Amino acid sequence: MDIVRWGIVGCGNVTEVKSGPALQKAEGSALAAVMRRNGELARDYAERHGVPRWYDDAVRLIEDPEVNAIYVATPPSSHLEYVLKAAKAGKPVYVEKPMAMNESECQAMIDACEAANVPLFVAYYRRMQPRFRKVKELIEGGAIGDVRSVTTVQFAPPPRSNANESWRLRPEVGGGGLFPDLASHSLDLLDYLLGPIRSVAGHATNQGGRYAAEDTVSASYVFESGVHGVGSWCFDAGFSEDRNEIVGTRGKITYATFRNEPIRLVNDSGAEEWAIDQPQHVQQPLIQSIVNELRGVGAPCPSTGRTALRTNRVMDAILSTYYGKQ
């Protein structure tokens, strides 16, 4: 491709700052059309963001000849449907995270895109953000020696919205509650930093009783490399905490998944910190890597359907204690 001309299926809140402007600002990229089921909202988005065309029908956007790549930014329950339509149209597709409702849907999406010979990318955008690439650089440079274990903690007070207001609290739309929406970022980052997880066990319950989805999750896992990991997520806590700690034979690295806190390294040489801000449009570095791949320049994008499937597989195993096998 000379210019990647994007069409957004589902121009909701996530596309306002995180991704939509990034599709316009990335080099070699343009936002050609947007779609939302409510046509008035689609038109409003197009007018505010300077997008040439808008639709209230996804098929019309996908089939638009001026659109040569599709970004699916709807809730997870419709990801499979729209990715299959994009693959049938022969257009590369970038889909929001979590990739789908479960591993089997992820596999169906991969199969359809591979059969159509179109690339499939997933919006685990932290893989390309400078702060997390710094963590990877430290690990691979031996700053903490051989990695032995990793601990992830995410606690937060209960959400102010309820299941009638937020799809993120409705398992039939999001594949679970806040765990697949938020913990997927941490788990995918661990896949990026430490490699695939080989085995996993976990527990998920609802302790607060505020909605039907799980609100408290714990898990343990072992990576293919032999590294051990444990994670604890509670979205009904009295305070907030966001911490990942990777321990090695020479020291440890501590970083936050969501908070813009410094990366901290402690090893046998002392302590050091790096304050690396998130970009204004958090998805722009990943989107640039996608555009580069589609244009045939630069390294391949590090977040694909196959890498994202692994994160869904891990979450399925953990959430099976609450929802049963999917």
Side-chain angles (χ1 to χ4, degrees):
M1 294 182 182
D2 182 22
I3 300 293
V4 181
R5 300 185 302 276
W6 294 95
I8 300 178
V9 176
C11 54
N13 288 340
V14 72
T15 69
E16 287 287 348
V17 177
K18 290 182 176 181
S19 58
L23 297 174
Q24 295 170 306
K25 293 181 178 181
E27 183 179 353
S29 177
L31 181 52
V34 296
M35 169 270 166
R36 198 164 178 175
R37 285 178 297 177
N38 183 319
E40 287 302 310
L41 292 179
R43 181 177 67 177
D44 174 70
Y45 185 99
E47 290 176 349
R48 286 187 293 107
H49 290 272
V51 182
R53 291 181 302 290
W54 60 269
Y55 297 97
D56 60 7
D57 180 270
V59 173
R60 290 181 61 204
L61 177 137
I62 291 170
E63 294 180 348
D64 185 334
E66 293 300 312
V67 170
N68 59 12
I70 306 298
Y71 168 39
V72 178
T74 59
S77 58
S78 57
H79 287 182
L80 174 63
E81 174 190 357
Y82 293 131
V83 169
L84 295 186
K85 291 181 186 301
K88 185 178 180 181
K91 297 184 179 182
V93 58
Y94 175 47
V95 62
E96 267 300 330
K97 45 59 54 189
M99 180 177 170
M101 297 287 280
N102 50 52
E103 180 187 353
S104 62
E105 287 194 1
C106 294
Q107 189 63 58
M109 293 157 66
I110 291 169
D111 291 344
C113 288
E114 289 184 350
N117 197 30
V118 298
L120 172 60
F121 309 100
V122 182
Y124 284 117
Y125 49 86
R126 283 172 170 79
R127 286 179 175 243
M128 281 298 294
Q129 287 187 344
R131 63 196 318 264
F132 301 110
R133 292 175 75 83
K134 179 62 178 181
V135 175
K136 190 172 182 69
E137 174 191 311
L138 291 171
I139 294 170
E140 294 180 348
I144 58 171
D146 296 327
V147 179
R148 293 292 184 246
S149 69
V150 58
T151 300
T152 293
V153 172
Q154 186 179 2
F155 301 148
R160 295 180 181 178
S161 58
N162 57 44
N164 294 323
E165 300 170 325
S166 173
W167 61 262
R168 291 174 174 82
L169 302 177
R170 296 166 58 195
E172 71 277 12
V173 181
L178 293 174
F179 177 77
D181 182 48
L182 299 175
S184 59
H185 278 295
S186 295
L187 291 168
D188 185 79
L189 263 176
L190 294 181
D191 183 285
Y192 171 66
L193 296 172
L194 303 176
I197 289 173
R198 180 181 69 214
S199 61
V200 58
H203 298 278
T205 61
N206 183 305
Q207 296 181 330
R210 303 171 191 275
Y211 42 81
E214 80 295 333
D215 63 14
T216 304
V217 177
S218 60
S220 62
Y221 24 84
V222 178
F223 294 78
E224 290 181 1
S225 63
V227 173
H228 284 224
V230 294
S232 180
W233 297 266
C234 180
F235 302 105
D236 199 61
F239 63 96
S240 296
E241 186 170 353
D242 174 11
R243 175 173 52 85
N244 301 272
E245 187 173 85
I246 301 175
V247 174
T249 55
R250 287 187 53 214
K252 65 181 180 178
I253 299 169
T254 306
Y255 67 90
T257 301
F258 297 94
R259 294 181 179 179
N260 203 24
E261 296 178 350
I263 299 160
R264 181 170 175 80
L265 167 68
V266 178
N267 62 13
D268 47 17
S269 298
E272 192 170 0
E273 291 188 349
W274 292 266
I276 304 174
D277 292 336
Q278 294 181 344
Q280 178 185 5
H281 309 295
V282 293
Q283 295 197 26
Q284 189 165 342
L286 184 70
I287 287 171
Q288 186 66 68
S289 75
I290 293 171
V291 170
N292 289 349
E293 180 173 333
L294 294 178
R295 298 179 68 214
V297 298
C301 173
S303 184
T304 67
R306 291 200 170 275
T307 62
L309 176 145
R310 298 198 295 262
T311 297
N312 262 88
R313 178 184 295 146
V314 170
M315 293 192 297
D316 282 2
I318 296 170
L319 293 178
S320 66
T321 59
Y322 191 72
Y323 296 105
K325 296 294 183 182
Q326 299 187 48

